[in-house]
Amino acid sequence: MVSKEIAKAFYEQIPDTRPASEDWGEGAYAFPCDSVDKLGKISFGFGGKRYEIDARDFNAGPETEMTPLTGDDLEDDIAILGDASMKNWYSVFDYGNLAIGFAKAV
């Protein structure tokens, strides 16, 4: 989940994307399933490092055409990562040092 502005800017780059708020709630988007093969690289970043997500994990499935990235009333520097991103990366949460670590899942 990211800010509504970031979500809108992201989905404007994917042809035939449509808002799916009526189907899945405010801030949701959908695009044709066959667009997944055309997405190229999708990534998120922390501290100047990019973490790639497999595009096939970026669609909730052929029945819904919904995507895992939604917009909400978040500040631009806040994002909530879910299963689509975390299944591609092992995640370690170090509460003592207030740090997060990622390693590529293979």
Side-chain angles (χ1 to χ4, degrees):
M1 184 177 302
V2 295
S3 72
K4 290 177 183 176
E5 293 79 22
I6 291 174
K8 183 176 185 271
F10 176 84
Y11 286 113
E12 285 177 345
Q13 299 177 55
I14 302 173
D16 300 319
T17 295
R18 65 173 177 82
S21 298
E22 290 183 16
D23 301 324
W24 302 103
E26 186 178 355
Y29 289 84
F31 58 81
C33 293
D34 61 0
S35 295
V36 171
D37 296 331
K38 302 172 193 169
L39 289 179
K41 295 183 180 194
I42 299 172
S43 64
F44 61 93
F46 290 106
K49 183 165 174 141
R50 308 298 304 170
Y51 299 90
E52 190 174 315
I53 301 169
D54 189 317
R56 294 171 296 182
D57 295 329
F58 199 70
N59 193 318
E63 298 299 318
T64 64
E65 297 183 346
M66 188 184 134
T67 62
L69 180 70
T70 59
D72 204 339
D73 291 324
L74 299 176
E75 296 177 24
D76 284 343
D77 60 348
I78 295 175
I80 300 171
L81 301 177
D83 60 337
S85 53
M86 296 181 82
K87 74 184 278 186
N88 289 268
W89 294 90
Y90 293 108
S91 306
V92 177
F93 301 91
D94 182 348
Y95 294 103
N97 293 307
L98 299 176
I100 300 171
F102 297 105
K104 181 75 175 152
V106 292

